[in-house]
Amino acid sequence: MSPAPAARRLLATVRGAIQPTPPIWIMRQAGRYLPEYRELRSRAGGFLELCYTPDLATEVTLQPVRRFDLDAAILFSDILVVPDALGQEVRFETGEGPLLTPLSAASIGALRPERVLERLAPVLETVRRVRAALPDDKTLIGFCGSPWTVATYMLGGRGSPDQQAARLFALREPEAFARLMDILVDVSVDYLVAQFRAGADVVQLFESWALNLDETAFAERVIEPNRRIVAGVRRQLPDAPIIGFPRGAAGMIAAYAEATGVNVVGLDYATPLQFAAATLPAGLGVQGNLDPLRLVVGGRQMEERAREIVAAFRGRPHIFNLGHGIVPETPIAHVERLLEIVRGG
Ligand code: 1CP
């Protein structure tokens, strides 16, 4: 883990500082809305090759920070490099999103957790190169997918609106499911510790599919595995700063924050501001939560809501962000305007 110069505003906020204006990064900030990303992507071959080529992945990580002077870089990679490194077949088809050969109870035993760090060595090399190239005042965010979210792809074979394949598997095959979650918890701990050691300042746990779960399932599949990851990382790196993003946690958000011990909880855009302010403990940091489509439309629809979000979280550690990933149609000028607003314009 790098030292924490006071000048790394975003890192200081994760550690509990309250800033005059919130630091900002943008979920999925490196991506197809940027012409420089599209240009490099067209030369790179496949998406996984891009993730596993440190030169190119470093360049793509730095692009949005350079263009917008954001407060943080986020490692350019994907949550599905972990199943790929475990030996499951993962493909990214243009326009289709990720496609995996779905696991069965029997094929879980064929996963190869002992090889994960070796296979993810190029990603860790990207972390080192980004940290070396990044200005000292910028925070570097590493990440992994949380076990339930990664498992929904491993079991369903693709993203799905209701995660039905994984939800049925977890109920029908509780032992095999628990084995899969144990594997994902263990490799995630090792992978995140390795990212910190390579130069990440903060890591984010992406639980993008925390929705559609009853409270029992949420406690077992979301809270408990994320808690184990946070505890496992901190056994090796006691003060490791961690952001948790349980998208769709709704009424379970305070329970998630308390039980996992994350420093900052990421709020999706459906989370009401006053509900978050009232239910989350006073000193806990929050991140979010502008609807990405307001950034597509811009103008009053974006500006008024952005100001409401800033106002609602004044007085607690707050990192400004979208409430989910930026979409490819987003005009660059709207991102520039959002930064002016968040920085007091
Ligand atoms: O061809 C392309 O350019 C592919 C588009 C793309 C990109 C740019 C994918 C495929 N992944 C990424 C990069 C990525 N993914 C980052 C890079 C860093 C940054 O933010 O700039 C990160 C953090 C992710 C994380 C990720 N991947 C999540 C969690 C965040 C979220 O949006 O909920 C998820 C769910 C994925 C899976 C995935 N990978 C790619 C796509 C299109 C998807 C979503 C598929 C689906 O809807 O199910």
Side-chain angles (χ1 to χ4, degrees):
M1 213 178 326
S2 355
R8 272 178 213 170
R9 252 166 44 91
L10 196 140
L11 173 59
T13 302
V14 179
R15 291 201 179 283
I18 299 170
Q19 315 274 358
T21 64
I24 176 168
W25 69 282
I26 297 171
M27 222 179 293
R28 300 287 205 102
Q29 64 191 26
R32 285 169 296 171
Y33 74 107
L34 286 179
E36 58 270 36
Y37 173 83
R38 292 196 298 269
E39 197 278 319
L40 187 145
R41 175 83 175 79
S42 68
R43 289 189 283 122
F47 175 73
L48 277 176
E49 277 113 284
L50 177 53
C51 294
Y52 291 143
T53 308
D55 267 359
L56 299 179
T58 299
E59 171 57 21
V60 170
T61 303
L62 295 170
Q63 283 174 346
V65 185
R66 249 188 239 131
R67 181 189 269 272
F68 301 118
D69 193 30
L70 296 160
D71 293 290
I74 179 160
L75 166 68
F76 187 83
S77 177
D78 196 82
I79 63 167
L80 299 175
V81 298
V82 167
D84 182 60
L86 280 164
Q88 186 172 9
E89 196 200 354
V90 179
R91 286 175 297 133
F92 286 85
E93 313 264 310
T94 332
E96 279 231 54
L99 292 173
L100 297 80
T101 307
L103 290 181
S104 62
S107 59
I108 289 171
L111 296 172
R112 288 279 155 264
E114 67 283 357
R115 298 198 48 200
V116 163
L117 284 192
E118 185 193 317
R119 299 199 47 178
L120 294 178
V123 179
L124 298 168
E125 177 59 22
T126 302
V127 175
R128 278 187 282 275
R129 292 191 194 190
V130 172
R131 186 64 271 175
L134 204 58
D136 200 49
D137 63 334
K138 304 297 183 194
T139 299
L140 175 54
I141 303 172
F143 72 93
C144 72
S146 291
W148 166 250
T149 291
V150 175
T152 65
Y153 290 92
M154 295 177 84
L155 294 165
R158 61 195 314 150
S160 89
D162 62 3
Q163 306 82 51
Q164 207 183 105
R167 285 162 57 211
L168 286 171
F169 187 93
L171 298 172
R172 284 186 176 137
E173 306 271 3
E175 282 160 21
F177 179 74
R179 263 202 313 283
L180 176 60
M181 295 297 268
D182 286 347
I183 291 172
L184 290 170
V185 167
D186 290 347
V187 301
S188 300
V189 168
D190 292 349
Y191 183 38
L192 293 176
V193 167
Q195 291 184 39
F196 276 120
R197 294 204 162 121
D201 296 303
V202 177
V203 297
Q204 172 152 319
L205 297 168
F206 278 98
E207 190 74 278
S208 300
W209 297 117
L211 51 173
N212 293 325
L213 296 171
D214 64 43
E215 65 195 288
T216 306
F218 189 93
E220 287 171 10
R221 300 180 208 161
V222 175
I223 292 182
E224 182 58 12
N226 283 292
R227 184 196 69 73
R228 286 170 62 198
I229 291 176
V230 172
V233 169
R234 291 195 183 140
R235 258 195 299 280
Q236 298 184 59
L237 303 169
D239 298 321
I242 301 177
I243 303 170
F245 175 54
R247 183 170 77 98
M252 298 297 282
I253 192 102
Y256 167 92
E258 192 188 356
T260 59
V262 294
N263 303 70
V264 169
V265 62
L267 306 175
D268 60 63
Y269 56 83
T271 308
L273 303 177
Q274 292 317 317
F275 167 80
T279 46
L280 296 172
L284 184 78
V286 293
Q287 174 175 280
N289 70 342
L290 187 72
D291 180 348
L293 298 189
R294 290 189 184 270
L295 192 55
V296 173
V297 172
R300 200 169 57 80
Q301 304 286 8
M302 170 180 86
E303 298 190 10
E304 287 178 4
R305 184 64 184 169
R307 290 187 210 282
E308 280 169 17
I309 293 168
V310 172
F313 297 131
R314 215 164 260 142
R316 71 158 76 219
H318 176 213
I319 298 167
F320 196 94
N321 205 323
L322 304 182
H324 199 201
I326 189 168
V327 300
E329 302 74 53
T330 308
I332 303 272
H334 294 178
V335 179
E336 290 165 346
R337 181 70 189 125
L338 178 65
L339 282 158
E340 280 172 14
I341 290 167
V342 171
R343 291 175 172 160

